[in-house]
Amino acid sequence: MKLKILLPTQILVEAEVTKVIAEAENGSFCLLPHHIDFVASLVPGLLAYTTADGIELFSALAEGILIKRDDEVLVS
């Protein structure tokens, strides 16, 4: 999957990932390749993602929106 973490003025992260874990108002969830298209309102917390190289990385979020469509995951 292609992950993009977007700020109002720039793209903060653009990476090929195999897994994304985030937290919405009703709990945390995991997105894997071929997951159904998905939209979620994110709450303050950590966004975890695993790169295609197998490295697990984290980004702190104050809040945001996650959109998963086809093989693209957008977080803003």
Side-chain angles (χ1 to χ4, degrees):
M1 299 182 293
K2 296 175 189 136
L3 172 67
K4 287 186 184 178
I5 300 176
L6 308 168
L7 297 177
T9 58
Q10 67 184 18
I11 298 173
L12 182 64
V13 173
E14 189 168 5
E16 285 288 328
V17 299
T18 57
K19 178 169 64 171
V20 176
I21 299 172
E23 189 171 348
E25 294 174 355
N26 59 346
S28 63
F29 60 92
C30 177
L31 299 174
L32 297 171
H34 308 293
H35 191 283
I36 191 167
D37 290 352
F38 190 77
V39 175
S41 175
L42 303 177
V43 297
L46 291 176
L47 176 80
Y49 53 97
T50 304
T51 66
D53 300 333
I55 299 168
E56 189 172 25
L57 299 169
F58 300 89
S59 291
L61 300 175
E63 61 186 2
I65 298 291
L66 180 143
I67 301 170
K68 193 263 181 213
R69 183 170 174 239
D70 297 327
D71 70 341
E72 186 171 51
V73 179
L74 301 172
V75 177
S76 61

